Amino acid sequence: MRRSAVTALWATAALVVVTGCSSGGDGSLPGAVRTASSPAASPEGGAPSPSAAPAKGSVKVVSTLTEGLNSPWGLAALPDGDLLVSSRDEGTITRVDAENGKKTLVSTVPGVSASGEGGLLGIALSPTYGADHLVYAYFTTESDNRIARMLYDEKKPVGQQMGAPDTVLRGIPKGTIHNGGRIAFGPDKMLYAGTGETGDGQLAQDRKSLAGKILRMTPDGQPVHGNPEADSVVYSYGHRNVEGLAWDSGKRLWASEFGQDKWDELNLIEPGKNYGWPDVEGKSDRPGLVNPVAEWPPSEASPSGIAFAEGSIWLATLRGERLWRAPLAGRELAAPPEAFLEGKYGRLRTVLSVGGGKVWLVTNNTDGRGTPRPGDDRILQLEVA
């Protein structure tokens, strides 16, 4: 989109509360979304950067890769393109052939205690997977949430291909709700994790607790040079429940967050910053707190996994049962978010970009809160722009 068109859009919308949503074609404007009050300015001020994503995007469902998954949660792409998917409730990791969708049980992860929103959650490949074949997992045990790594040996018998978990970080508080669980390696090859406050909001403001935080650590689970506190893996705090992490083309970290009654959030994450929970929900004028870049009512979102693709952040939502596109212009939005696939596939848990506009999307209707449909749960292949 030309710069003048983007400027005109922001001038007319003013981006306070957008009303009058209708989801007719491929995408729609939100029914009640609050976003930043101005687009990202150029160094001289004024119009958005020429690199801003187009105001309008598109989503095409290319195919259903596989069906019949139970409570799928985490997703990781292997070097050959095949996928690993975790089951929250079964505590298993399954390999899905990216060409024909065939499912093969890799292993059951020992020590997983699945209850409520806890269980086997996010998974991620080591940044040096080609050499070490390590798979990282965030899971709930009888006593805590923790992150462990396992050696994936494809030569072992089916169902026994993961080695014993080697715990790299333990002691993340667990709860019936708000266990966080998303893990990802960043452009710096460090391991990041989103945690929840377990329903105890004050833990989010307790800098000594690992609950209600985004964590940053070495692949061995140690604090990283450059963290806000040299002896701590806490990277940011004041979070209610973070289940989505993604980096844009400028290596900026974005995170999705569940609100309570008013506003779910898309946040730009910076080290040492306070994101407000439980003192505020959504935007505020309180000093010292970081405001979200965009907000949605929980009925339209409840965001879990997110991904960056084609200049936009894509948010998979549970209660909202839609895929949101948030087009970026640097640190701000280039235009109001758009909703896609509204109600077509039910609850959406995880979205994974694998380059070139190709995105994998995981439904989540077998998690005890959704209404399973024939074939649920499934992995869909999308083309996005």
Side-chain angles (χ1 to χ4, degrees), residues 63-98:
S63 65
T64 298
L65 175 63
T66 197
E67 297 182 337
L69 298 170
N70 180 37
S71 60
W73 213 100
L75 191 68
L78 292 164
D80 65 359
D82 286 359
L83 302 174
L84 297 179
V85 58
S86 63
S87 167
R88 185 194 69 183
D89 295 345
E90 294 180 341
T92 57
I93 295 177
T94 297
R95 182 169 181 151
V96 180
D97 189 298

PDB file of all heavy atoms in Angstrom, residues 63-98:
ATOM      1  N   SER A  63      -4.936 -26.633   2.748  1.00  0.00           N
ATOM      2  CA  SER A  63      -5.299 -28.028   2.982  1.00  0.00           C
ATOM      3  C   SER A  63      -5.394 -28.298   4.466  1.00  0.00           C
ATOM      4  O   SER A  63      -4.932 -27.512   5.295  1.00  0.00           O
ATOM      5  CB  SER A  63      -4.251 -28.965   2.365  1.00  0.00           C
ATOM      6  OG  SER A  63      -3.000 -28.807   3.019  1.00  0.00           O
ATOM      7  N   THR A  64      -6.009 -29.417   4.792  1.00  0.00           N
ATOM      8  CA  THR A  64      -5.952 -29.977   6.137  1.00  0.00           C
ATOM      9  C   THR A  64      -4.860 -31.043   6.130  1.00  0.00           C
ATOM     10  O   THR A  64      -4.993 -32.064   5.438  1.00  0.00           O
ATOM     11  CB  THR A  64      -7.297 -30.594   6.552  1.00  0.00           C
ATOM     12  OG1 THR A  64      -8.299 -29.576   6.574  1.00  0.00           O
ATOM     13  CG2 THR A  64      -7.192 -31.234   7.933  1.00  0.00           C
ATOM     14  N   LEU A  65      -3.791 -30.796   6.868  1.00  0.00           N
ATOM     15  CA  LEU A  65      -2.663 -31.727   6.844  1.00  0.00           C
ATOM     16  C   LEU A  65      -2.994 -33.015   7.558  1.00  0.00           C
ATOM     17  O   LEU A  65      -2.731 -34.112   7.060  1.00  0.00           O
ATOM     18  CB  LEU A  65      -1.429 -31.081   7.473  1.00  0.00           C
ATOM     19  CG  LEU A  65      -0.210 -31.992   7.622  1.00  0.00           C
ATOM     20  CD1 LEU A  65       0.297 -32.444   6.259  1.00  0.00           C
ATOM     21  CD2 LEU A  65       0.888 -31.303   8.420  1.00  0.00           C
ATOM     22  N   THR A  66      -3.560 -32.888   8.765  1.00  0.00           N
ATOM     23  CA  THR A  66      -3.870 -34.086   9.546  1.00  0.00           C
ATOM     24  C   THR A  66      -5.039 -33.812  10.459  1.00  0.00           C
ATOM     25  O   THR A  66      -5.376 -32.655  10.745  1.00  0.00           O
ATOM     26  CB  THR A  66      -2.638 -34.549  10.357  1.00  0.00           C
ATOM     27  OG1 THR A  66      -2.813 -35.898  10.789  1.00  0.00           O
ATOM     28  CG2 THR A  66      -2.406 -33.656  11.568  1.00  0.00           C
ATOM     29  N   GLU A  67      -5.666 -34.882  10.937  1.00  0.00           N
ATOM     30  CA  GLU A  67      -6.817 -34.799  11.834  1.00  0.00           C
ATOM     31  C   GLU A  67      -6.615 -35.767  12.995  1.00  0.00           C
ATOM     32  O   GLU A  67      -5.659 -36.530  13.043  1.00  0.00           O
ATOM     33  CB  GLU A  67      -8.109 -35.142  11.084  1.00  0.00           C
ATOM     34  CG  GLU A  67      -8.449 -34.191   9.948  1.00  0.00           C
ATOM     35  CD  GLU A  67      -9.760 -34.548   9.264  1.00  0.00           C
ATOM     36  OE1 GLU A  67     -10.178 -35.731   9.360  1.00  0.00           O
ATOM     37  OE2 GLU A  67     -10.366 -33.659   8.653  1.00  0.00           O
ATOM     38  N   GLY A  68      -7.556 -35.716  13.945  1.00  0.00           N
ATOM     39  CA  GLY A  68      -7.579 -36.688  15.021  1.00  0.00           C
ATOM     40  C   GLY A  68      -6.560 -36.475  16.115  1.00  0.00           C
ATOM     41  O   GLY A  68      -6.186 -37.419  16.813  1.00  0.00           O
ATOM     42  N   LEU A  69      -6.122 -35.218  16.309  1.00  0.00           N
ATOM     43  CA  LEU A  69      -5.203 -34.913  17.402  1.00  0.00           C
ATOM     44  C   LEU A  69      -5.988 -34.650  18.680  1.00  0.00           C
ATOM     45  O   LEU A  69      -7.076 -34.066  18.649  1.00  0.00           O
ATOM     46  CB  LEU A  69      -4.355 -33.690  17.051  1.00  0.00           C
ATOM     47  CG  LEU A  69      -3.442 -33.823  15.822  1.00  0.00           C
ATOM     48  CD1 LEU A  69      -2.862 -32.461  15.457  1.00  0.00           C
ATOM     49  CD2 LEU A  69      -2.334 -34.830  16.081  1.00  0.00           C
ATOM     50  N   ASN A  70      -5.415 -35.053  19.808  1.00  0.00           N
ATOM     51  CA  ASN A  70      -6.072 -34.829  21.103  1.00  0.00           C
ATOM     52  C   ASN A  70      -5.336 -33.739  21.876  1.00  0.00           C
ATOM     53  O   ASN A  70      -4.141 -33.865  22.137  1.00  0.00           O
ATOM     54  CB  ASN A  70      -6.083 -36.122  21.922  1.00  0.00           C
ATOM     55  CG  ASN A  70      -6.766 -35.923  23.270  1.00  0.00           C
ATOM     56  OD1 ASN A  70      -7.742 -35.188  23.393  1.00  0.00           O
ATOM     57  ND2 ASN A  70      -6.245 -36.579  24.292  1.00  0.00           N
ATOM     58  N   SER A  71      -6.042 -32.698  22.232  1.00  0.00           N
ATOM     59  CA  SER A  71      -5.530 -31.564  23.012  1.00  0.00           C
ATOM     60  C   SER A  71      -4.156 -31.096  22.538  1.00  0.00           C
ATOM     61  O   SER A  71      -3.230 -30.961  23.346  1.00  0.00           O
ATOM     62  CB  SER A  71      -5.491 -31.897  24.513  1.00  0.00           C
ATOM     63  OG  SER A  71      -4.652 -33.006  24.794  1.00  0.00           O
ATOM     64  N   PRO A  72      -3.984 -30.839  21.235  1.00  0.00           N
ATOM     65  CA  PRO A  72      -2.673 -30.379  20.756  1.00  0.00           C
ATOM     66  C   PRO A  72      -2.340 -29.013  21.329  1.00  0.00           C
ATOM     67  O   PRO A  72      -3.234 -28.185  21.557  1.00  0.00           O
ATOM     68  CB  PRO A  72      -2.848 -30.332  19.250  1.00  0.00           C
ATOM     69  CG  PRO A  72      -4.314 -30.088  19.045  1.00  0.00           C
ATOM     70  CD  PRO A  72      -4.986 -30.845  20.165  1.00  0.00           C
ATOM     71  N   TRP A  73      -1.067 -28.742  21.545  1.00  0.00           N
ATOM     72  CA  TRP A  73      -0.651 -27.469  22.155  1.00  0.00           C
ATOM     73  C   TRP A  73       0.586 -26.900  21.459  1.00  0.00           C
ATOM     74  O   TRP A  73       0.507 -25.875  20.794  1.00  0.00           O
ATOM     75  CB  TRP A  73      -0.381 -27.662  23.650  1.00  0.00           C
ATOM     76  CG  TRP A  73      -0.709 -26.469  24.485  1.00  0.00           C
ATOM     77  CD1 TRP A  73      -1.846 -26.278  25.229  1.00  0.00           C
ATOM     78  CD2 TRP A  73       0.104 -25.299  24.687  1.00  0.00           C
ATOM     79  NE1 TRP A  73      -1.802 -25.050  25.860  1.00  0.00           N
ATOM     80  CE2 TRP A  73      -0.607 -24.435  25.557  1.00  0.00           C
ATOM     81  CE3 TRP A  73       1.343 -24.893  24.231  1.00  0.00           C
ATOM     82  CZ2 TRP A  73      -0.116 -23.203  25.957  1.00  0.00           C
ATOM     83  CZ3 TRP A  73       1.846 -23.659  24.626  1.00  0.00           C
ATOM     84  CH2 TRP A  73       1.113 -22.827  25.482  1.00  0.00           C
ATOM     85  N   GLY A  74       1.742 -27.536  21.626  1.00  0.00           N
ATOM     86  CA  GLY A  74       2.971 -27.008  21.031  1.00  0.00           C
ATOM     87  C   GLY A  74       3.216 -27.575  19.643  1.00  0.00           C
ATOM     88  O   GLY A  74       2.754 -28.665  19.300  1.00  0.00           O
ATOM     89  N   LEU A  75       3.972 -26.806  18.835  1.00  0.00           N
ATOM     90  CA  LEU A  75       4.254 -27.215  17.468  1.00  0.00           C
ATOM     91  C   LEU A  75       5.662 -26.751  17.096  1.00  0.00           C
ATOM     92  O   LEU A  75       6.052 -25.621  17.389  1.00  0.00           O
ATOM     93  CB  LEU A  75       3.239 -26.592  16.512  1.00  0.00           C
ATOM     94  CG  LEU A  75       3.222 -27.109  15.068  1.00  0.00           C
ATOM     95  CD1 LEU A  75       2.723 -28.553  15.011  1.00  0.00           C
ATOM     96  CD2 LEU A  75       2.351 -26.225  14.190  1.00  0.00           C
ATOM     97  N   ALA A  76       6.421 -27.631  16.452  1.00  0.00           N
ATOM     98  CA  ALA A  76       7.773 -27.293  16.001  1.00  0.00           C
ATOM     99  C   ALA A  76       8.019 -27.959  14.663  1.00  0.00           C
ATOM    100  O   ALA A  76       7.577 -29.094  14.429  1.00  0.00           O
ATOM    101  CB  ALA A  76       8.821 -27.750  17.021  1.00  0.00           C
ATOM    102  N   ALA A  77       8.718 -27.256  13.772  1.00  0.00           N
ATOM    103  CA  ALA A  77       9.022 -27.784  12.448  1.00  0.00           C
ATOM    104  C   ALA A  77      10.432 -28.337  12.419  1.00  0.00           C
ATOM    105  O   ALA A  77      11.400 -27.660  12.775  1.00  0.00           O
ATOM    106  CB  ALA A  77       8.869 -26.692  11.396  1.00  0.00           C
ATOM    107  N   LEU A  78      10.570 -29.590  11.995  1.00  0.00           N
ATOM    108  CA  LEU A  78      11.867 -30.229  11.852  1.00  0.00           C
ATOM    109  C   LEU A  78      12.566 -29.738  10.584  1.00  0.00           C
ATOM    110  O   LEU A  78      11.920 -29.191   9.686  1.00  0.00           O
ATOM    111  CB  LEU A  78      11.691 -31.746  11.814  1.00  0.00           C
ATOM    112  CG  LEU A  78      11.210 -32.377  13.129  1.00  0.00           C
ATOM    113  CD1 LEU A  78      10.687 -33.784  12.884  1.00  0.00           C
ATOM    114  CD2 LEU A  78      12.340 -32.379  14.155  1.00  0.00           C
ATOM    115  N   PRO A  79      13.867 -29.948  10.467  1.00  0.00           N
ATOM    116  CA  PRO A  79      14.590 -29.464   9.287  1.00  0.00           C
ATOM    117  C   PRO A  79      14.038 -29.986   7.965  1.00  0.00           C
ATOM    118  O   PRO A  79      14.107 -29.295   6.943  1.00  0.00           O
ATOM    119  CB  PRO A  79      16.021 -29.959   9.531  1.00  0.00           C
ATOM    120  CG  PRO A  79      16.141 -30.018  11.020  1.00  0.00           C
ATOM    121  CD  PRO A  79      14.796 -30.460  11.496  1.00  0.00           C
ATOM    122  N   ASP A  80      13.470 -31.202   7.954  1.00  0.00           N
ATOM    123  CA  ASP A  80      12.929 -31.745   6.707  1.00  0.00           C
ATOM    124  C   ASP A  80      11.504 -31.281   6.438  1.00  0.00           C
ATOM    125  O   ASP A  80      10.888 -31.680   5.439  1.00  0.00           O
ATOM    126  CB  ASP A  80      12.993 -33.273   6.709  1.00  0.00           C
ATOM    127  CG  ASP A  80      12.098 -33.911   7.767  1.00  0.00           C
ATOM    128  OD1 ASP A  80      11.429 -33.175   8.524  1.00  0.00           O
ATOM    129  OD2 ASP A  80      12.069 -35.162   7.846  1.00  0.00           O
ATOM    130  N   GLY A  81      10.949 -30.439   7.326  1.00  0.00           N
ATOM    131  CA  GLY A  81       9.600 -29.924   7.133  1.00  0.00           C
ATOM    132  C   GLY A  81       8.532 -30.630   7.929  1.00  0.00           C
ATOM    133  O   GLY A  81       7.434 -30.089   8.122  1.00  0.00           O
ATOM    134  N   ASP A  82       8.796 -31.871   8.385  1.00  0.00           N
ATOM    135  CA  ASP A  82       7.821 -32.556   9.225  1.00  0.00           C
ATOM    136  C   ASP A  82       7.618 -31.781  10.525  1.00  0.00           C
ATOM    137  O   ASP A  82       8.447 -30.963  10.925  1.00  0.00           O
ATOM    138  CB  ASP A  82       8.279 -33.977   9.536  1.00  0.00           C
ATOM    139  CG  ASP A  82       8.131 -34.909   8.345  1.00  0.00           C
ATOM    140  OD1 ASP A  82       7.654 -34.457   7.289  1.00  0.00           O
ATOM    141  OD2 ASP A  82       8.516 -36.096   8.470  1.00  0.00           O
ATOM    142  N   LEU A  83       6.499 -32.068  11.190  1.00  0.00           N
ATOM    143  CA  LEU A  83       6.122 -31.325  12.387  1.00  0.00           C
ATOM    144  C   LEU A  83       6.125 -32.226  13.612  1.00  0.00           C
ATOM    145  O   LEU A  83       5.761 -33.405  13.540  1.00  0.00           O
ATOM    146  CB  LEU A  83       4.721 -30.729  12.211  1.00  0.00           C
ATOM    147  CG  LEU A  83       4.534 -29.782  11.020  1.00  0.00           C
ATOM    148  CD1 LEU A  83       3.067 -29.398  10.881  1.00  0.00           C
ATOM    149  CD2 LEU A  83       5.399 -28.537  11.173  1.00  0.00           C
ATOM    150  N   LEU A  84       6.520 -31.652  14.734  1.00  0.00           N
ATOM    151  CA  LEU A  84       6.318 -32.272  16.038  1.00  0.00           C
ATOM    152  C   LEU A  84       5.201 -31.519  16.743  1.00  0.00           C
ATOM    153  O   LEU A  84       5.208 -30.287  16.789  1.00  0.00           O
ATOM    154  CB  LEU A  84       7.593 -32.216  16.879  1.00  0.00           C
ATOM    155  CG  LEU A  84       8.812 -32.969  16.365  1.00  0.00           C
ATOM    156  CD1 LEU A  84       9.986 -32.775  17.331  1.00  0.00           C
ATOM    157  CD2 LEU A  84       8.511 -34.449  16.177  1.00  0.00           C
ATOM    158  N   VAL A  85       4.240 -32.246  17.289  1.00  0.00           N
ATOM    159  CA  VAL A  85       3.126 -31.627  17.997  1.00  0.00           C
ATOM    160  C   VAL A  85       2.986 -32.289  19.363  1.00  0.00           C
ATOM    161  O   VAL A  85       3.076 -33.517  19.489  1.00  0.00           O
ATOM    162  CB  VAL A  85       1.814 -31.721  17.186  1.00  0.00           C
ATOM    163  CG1 VAL A  85       1.456 -33.157  16.860  1.00  0.00           C
ATOM    164  CG2 VAL A  85       0.666 -31.027  17.910  1.00  0.00           C
ATOM    165  N   SER A  86       2.794 -31.471  20.395  1.00  0.00           N
ATOM    166  CA  SER A  86       2.625 -31.998  21.748  1.00  0.00           C
ATOM    167  C   SER A  86       1.149 -32.086  22.093  1.00  0.00           C
ATOM    168  O   SER A  86       0.329 -31.287  21.630  1.00  0.00           O
ATOM    169  CB  SER A  86       3.335 -31.104  22.765  1.00  0.00           C
ATOM    170  OG  SER A  86       2.759 -29.800  22.795  1.00  0.00           O
ATOM    171  N   SER A  87       0.812 -33.066  22.911  1.00  0.00           N
ATOM    172  CA  SER A  87      -0.542 -33.209  23.447  1.00  0.00           C
ATOM    173  C   SER A  87      -0.514 -32.816  24.919  1.00  0.00           C
ATOM    174  O   SER A  87       0.172 -33.456  25.720  1.00  0.00           O
ATOM    175  CB  SER A  87      -1.041 -34.648  23.314  1.00  0.00           C
ATOM    176  OG  SER A  87      -2.223 -34.845  24.087  1.00  0.00           O
ATOM    177  N   ARG A  88      -1.251 -31.785  25.256  1.00  0.00           N
ATOM    178  CA  ARG A  88      -1.270 -31.317  26.644  1.00  0.00           C
ATOM    179  C   ARG A  88      -1.719 -32.399  27.609  1.00  0.00           C
ATOM    180  O   ARG A  88      -1.086 -32.622  28.653  1.00  0.00           O
ATOM    181  CB  ARG A  88      -2.218 -30.110  26.761  1.00  0.00           C
ATOM    182  CG  ARG A  88      -2.231 -29.461  28.141  1.00  0.00           C
ATOM    183  CD  ARG A  88      -3.420 -28.517  28.292  1.00  0.00           C
ATOM    184  NE  ARG A  88      -4.682 -29.261  28.346  1.00  0.00           N
ATOM    185  CZ  ARG A  88      -5.883 -28.676  28.411  1.00  0.00           C
ATOM    186  NH1 ARG A  88      -5.972 -27.357  28.397  1.00  0.00           N
ATOM    187  NH2 ARG A  88      -6.982 -29.413  28.467  1.00  0.00           N
ATOM    188  N   ASP A  89      -2.819 -33.076  27.283  1.00  0.00           N
ATOM    189  CA  ASP A  89      -3.425 -34.010  28.224  1.00  0.00           C
ATOM    190  C   ASP A  89      -2.797 -35.399  28.185  1.00  0.00           C
ATOM    191  O   ASP A  89      -2.721 -36.074  29.211  1.00  0.00           O
ATOM    192  CB  ASP A  89      -4.927 -34.118  27.946  1.00  0.00           C
ATOM    193  CG  ASP A  89      -5.662 -32.812  28.195  1.00  0.00           C
ATOM    194  OD1 ASP A  89      -5.076 -31.907  28.840  1.00  0.00           O
ATOM    195  OD2 ASP A  89      -6.815 -32.672  27.734  1.00  0.00           O
ATOM    196  N   GLU A  90      -2.342 -35.843  27.020  1.00  0.00           N
ATOM    197  CA  GLU A  90      -1.748 -37.169  26.916  1.00  0.00           C
ATOM    198  C   GLU A  90      -0.270 -37.174  27.271  1.00  0.00           C
ATOM    199  O   GLU A  90       0.302 -38.224  27.543  1.00  0.00           O
ATOM    200  CB  GLU A  90      -1.933 -37.713  25.494  1.00  0.00           C
ATOM    201  CG  GLU A  90      -3.392 -37.983  25.140  1.00  0.00           C
ATOM    202  CD  GLU A  90      -3.549 -38.522  23.729  1.00  0.00           C
ATOM    203  OE1 GLU A  90      -2.613 -38.345  22.917  1.00  0.00           O
ATOM    204  OE2 GLU A  90      -4.606 -39.112  23.445  1.00  0.00           O
ATOM    205  N   GLY A  91       0.371 -35.988  27.234  1.00  0.00           N
ATOM    206  CA  GLY A  91       1.796 -35.912  27.538  1.00  0.00           C
ATOM    207  C   GLY A  91       2.663 -36.546  26.477  1.00  0.00           C
ATOM    208  O   GLY A  91       3.768 -37.013  26.774  1.00  0.00           O
ATOM    209  N   THR A  92       2.192 -36.549  25.239  1.00  0.00           N
ATOM    210  CA  THR A  92       2.912 -37.199  24.153  1.00  0.00           C
ATOM    211  C   THR A  92       3.405 -36.176  23.126  1.00  0.00           C
ATOM    212  O   THR A  92       2.864 -35.076  23.010  1.00  0.00           O
ATOM    213  CB  THR A  92       2.024 -38.214  23.426  1.00  0.00           C
ATOM    214  OG1 THR A  92       0.850 -37.539  22.940  1.00  0.00           O
ATOM    215  CG2 THR A  92       1.619 -39.340  24.355  1.00  0.00           C
ATOM    216  N   ILE A  93       4.433 -36.582  22.379  1.00  0.00           N
ATOM    217  CA  ILE A  93       4.903 -35.827  21.221  1.00  0.00           C
ATOM    218  C   ILE A  93       4.731 -36.723  20.002  1.00  0.00           C
ATOM    219  O   ILE A  93       5.160 -37.882  20.001  1.00  0.00           O
ATOM    220  CB  ILE A  93       6.367 -35.398  21.375  1.00  0.00           C
ATOM    221  CG1 ILE A  93       6.505 -34.408  22.543  1.00  0.00           C
ATOM    222  CG2 ILE A  93       6.874 -34.761  20.086  1.00  0.00           C
ATOM    223  CD1 ILE A  93       7.931 -33.991  22.817  1.00  0.00           C
ATOM    224  N   THR A  94       4.078 -36.190  18.985  1.00  0.00           N
ATOM    225  CA  THR A  94       3.776 -36.930  17.768  1.00  0.00           C
ATOM    226  C   THR A  94       4.434 -36.241  16.579  1.00  0.00           C
ATOM    227  O   THR A  94       4.461 -35.011  16.498  1.00  0.00           O
ATOM    228  CB  THR A  94       2.252 -37.013  17.549  1.00  0.00           C
ATOM    229  OG1 THR A  94       1.658 -37.736  18.630  1.00  0.00           O
ATOM    230  CG2 THR A  94       1.898 -37.694  16.237  1.00  0.00           C
ATOM    231  N   ARG A  95       4.954 -37.042  15.660  1.00  0.00           N
ATOM    232  CA  ARG A  95       5.510 -36.509  14.421  1.00  0.00           C
ATOM    233  C   ARG A  95       4.444 -36.593  13.336  1.00  0.00           C
ATOM    234  O   ARG A  95       3.776 -37.623  13.179  1.00  0.00           O
ATOM    235  CB  ARG A  95       6.751 -37.286  14.003  1.00  0.00           C
ATOM    236  CG  ARG A  95       7.425 -36.743  12.740  1.00  0.00           C
ATOM    237  CD  ARG A  95       8.777 -37.380  12.529  1.00  0.00           C
ATOM    238  NE  ARG A  95       9.465 -36.860  11.344  1.00  0.00           N
ATOM    239  CZ  ARG A  95      10.782 -36.798  11.213  1.00  0.00           C
ATOM    240  NH1 ARG A  95      11.564 -37.228  12.206  1.00  0.00           N
ATOM    241  NH2 ARG A  95      11.332 -36.309  10.118  1.00  0.00           N
ATOM    242  N   VAL A  96       4.305 -35.498  12.584  1.00  0.00           N
ATOM    243  CA  VAL A  96       3.330 -35.446  11.495  1.00  0.00           C
ATOM    244  C   VAL A  96       4.079 -35.214  10.187  1.00  0.00           C
ATOM    245  O   VAL A  96       4.805 -34.220  10.055  1.00  0.00           O
ATOM    246  CB  VAL A  96       2.294 -34.329  11.722  1.00  0.00           C
ATOM    247  CG1 VAL A  96       1.292 -34.293  10.573  1.00  0.00           C
ATOM    248  CG2 VAL A  96       1.573 -34.516  13.056  1.00  0.00           C
ATOM    249  N   ASP A  97       3.910 -36.128   9.253  1.00  0.00           N
ATOM    250  CA  ASP A  97       4.543 -36.001   7.942  1.00  0.00           C
ATOM    251  C   ASP A  97       3.953 -34.792   7.225  1.00  0.00           C
ATOM    252  O   ASP A  97       2.725 -34.696   7.059  1.00  0.00           O
ATOM    253  CB  ASP A  97       4.303 -37.278   7.129  1.00  0.00           C
ATOM    254  CG  ASP A  97       5.116 -37.319   5.846  1.00  0.00           C
ATOM    255  OD1 ASP A  97       4.911 -36.443   4.983  1.00  0.00           O
ATOM    256  OD2 ASP A  97       5.945 -38.233   5.692  1.00  0.00           O
ATOM    257  N   ALA A  98       4.800 -33.871   6.799  1.00  0.00           N
ATOM    258  CA  ALA A  98       4.329 -32.623   6.198  1.00  0.00           C
ATOM    259  C   ALA A  98       3.768 -32.816   4.796  1.00  0.00           C
ATOM    260  O   ALA A  98       3.138 -31.902   4.256  1.00  0.00           O
ATOM    261  CB  ALA A  98       5.464 -31.602   6.159  1.00  0.00           C
TER     262      ALA A  98
END
